[in-house]
Amino acid sequence: MSIHKDPHPWRLRQAARIINTGGIVAYPTEAVYGLGCHPLDPGAVSRLLALKQRPMAKGLILIADRIESLRPFIGTLSDAGMQTVRESWPGPATWLIPATRNVPYWLTGKHTTLAVRVTDHPIAAALCRATGTPLVSTSANISQHPPARTPLQVLLRCGDGVDFILHGKTGELKNPTPIRDALSGRIIRA
């Protein structure tokens, strides 16, 4: 991944404040612009799902800047399974890991696992650090439509449903990050 210039610190603080007060922020990720909100704010998650026209039962992805931030959300894996996951992070690898019992339905959907990633995109990671929490991260688009790759595309696809756009370059991936099941190793999304 090429190096991306971090946004101005006040823009990062503004984006974090919006997330921490129930808003939705668009930001660059490894491949596309993502829509993010606080994972434990049911109102924000409901708004995000309505904007995307995405059913809650599908579940969502959480991103973080470090694995320790994900600990309250993920259960245990075998030592070998956890080692495989750790070796792929930080990086553009999303894993399905058993969720802890207290993870809300709006994050897991109908699943017993949670999709998580420790991002290596500098802006997405900086936003996680600034908010002090992992973030819901889903592509900036209506479900089943092409994801946004620029701030202008975010505006065209999401309109005023987004409270703030954190400008920056997306990573070099051509497609959204691959998703693998950490228990079986099976590829869910290539």
Side-chain angles (χ1 to χ4, degrees), residues 69-136:
S69 297
L70 295 170
R71 292 276 180 219
F73 298 91
I74 58 174
T76 58
L77 283 175
S78 68
D79 289 343
M82 199 62 215
Q83 181 65 26
T84 300
V85 169
R86 282 180 175 278
E87 287 173 359
S88 72
W89 285 344
T94 301
W95 291 90
L96 297 178
I97 298 178
T100 57
R101 290 182 192 206
N102 60 339
V103 172
Y105 175 79
W106 62 77
L107 295 178
T108 59
K110 64 181 179 180
H111 311 284
T112 59
T113 56
L114 181 64
V116 292
R117 178 171 76 251
V118 175
T119 183
D120 68 345
H121 191 284
I123 295 173
L127 185 57
C128 290
R129 279 191 299 279
T131 60
T133 184
L135 299 175
V136 166

